[in-house]
Amino acid sequence: AQSVTQPDIHITVSEGASLELRCNYSYGATPYLFWYVQSPGQGLQLLLKYFSGDTLVQGIKGFEAEFKRSQSSFNLRKPSVHWSDAAEYFCAVFTGGSQGNLIFGKGTKLSVKP
Amino acid sequence: EADIYQTPRYLVIGTGKKITLECSQTMGHDKMYWYQQDPGMELHLIHYSYGVNSTEKGDLSSESTVSRIRTEHFPLTLESARPSHTSQYLCASSELWGMSYNEQFFGPGTRLTVL
């Protein structure tokens, strides 16, 4: 069965430090992978997505993610975190086809220290 | 501007009341979704629709019902609310075909509290 694991429930980083949020997926075929961000009291905003091709994908707000098939991972990175990046981050895998849907991980809450 | 809207944003009601959470989108999308999200937990799909007159149950069993009479409108109804229904409800939409058919766009959510 398809699944997404985000091993870190909560991460705290200092402003200006680099960030890496981990995501592992379980899916039989080539996955479609997504990272969403959710600010408090808000819906989800798409940060970036991987469908195929270049394994390093660029997103909005300076985020990037790297697809590693051998490790079944799709980790999110940012070289320098800003206080406004504090939010909850969700990794998701699409199950495929017009009848497919997204399966989400449990999310990683990011706190940013001044 | 194309967007997806949810009303109300916050709702506090008593047990046994009937409620309807509204979701509308102006993105021209055929597929729409309802997710339930508890604090610190992943989103669980409770309903989705491929288009007008189509409704499907999601992965998480829910006592709510949905309807899709118009493409842009996908309301969720609870006939008799209970404290166990307290949660955040997120509506989303996506294309059914094309290059971005699996990319979902989310509304701001409705936070429901049942006393």
Side-chain angles (χ1 to χ4, degrees), chain A residues 31-36 45-60 63-67 74 76 92 94 102, chain B residues 95 98-105:
Chain A
Y32 293 162
L33 295 161
F34 301 79
W35 274 101
Y36 283 87
Q45 181 183 20
L46 181 67
L47 282 176
L48 47 78
K49 59 189 178 185
Y50 170 79
F51 288 172
S52 64
D54 193 348
T55 56
L56 185 64
V57 294
Q58 302 296 322
I60 62 171
F63 285 93
E64 66 179 26
E66 186 171 13
F67 170 61
F74 189 56
L76 182 71
F94 183 72
L102 287 176
Chain B
E95 296 177 357
M99 291 296 294
S100 298
Y101 75 99
N102 49 20
E103 181 177 334
Q104 295 182 21
F105 295 83

Side-chain angles (χ1 to χ4, degrees), chain B residues 9-67:
Chain B
R9 292 291 313 278
Y10 303 91
L11 180 61
V12 181
I13 60 167
T15 297
K17 299 292 186 182
K18 178 180 179 179
I19 61 166
T20 296
L21 308 185
E22 300 288 349
C23 176
S24 294
Q25 51 98 2
T26 57
M27 309 188 78
H29 288 162
D30 287 311
K31 199 169 181 183
M32 296 187 74
Y33 314 77
W34 276 104
Y35 290 89
Q36 185 174 340
Q37 182 186 27
D38 293 322
M41 300 296 290
E42 66 266 55
L43 282 72
H44 288 288
L45 182 66
I46 52 175
H47 298 284
Y48 60 102
S49 165
Y50 292 108
V52 172
N53 294 327
S54 158
T55 59
E56 305 286 343
K57 291 190 179 296
D59 306 319
L60 181 68
S61 175
S62 174
E63 295 170 345
S64 59
T65 59
V66 293
S67 62

Side-chain angles (χ1 to χ4, degrees), chain A residues 4-67:
Chain A
V4 175
T5 302
Q6 293 180 248
D8 305 304
I9 297 173
H10 190 187
I11 285 182
T12 300
V13 300
S14 298
E15 190 168 17
S18 63
L19 170 70
E20 182 170 31
L21 302 182
R22 296 183 291 165
C23 172
N24 293 97
Y25 67 91
S26 172
Y27 186 65
T30 300
Y32 293 162
L33 295 161
F34 301 79
W35 274 101
Y36 283 87
V37 60
Q38 184 180 33
S39 298
Q42 300 298 315
L44 276 68
Q45 181 183 20
L46 181 67
L47 282 176
L48 47 78
K49 59 189 178 185
Y50 170 79
F51 288 172
S52 64
D54 193 348
T55 56
L56 185 64
V57 294
Q58 302 296 322
I60 62 171
K61 304 185 180 186
F63 285 93
E64 66 179 26
E66 186 171 13
F67 170 61

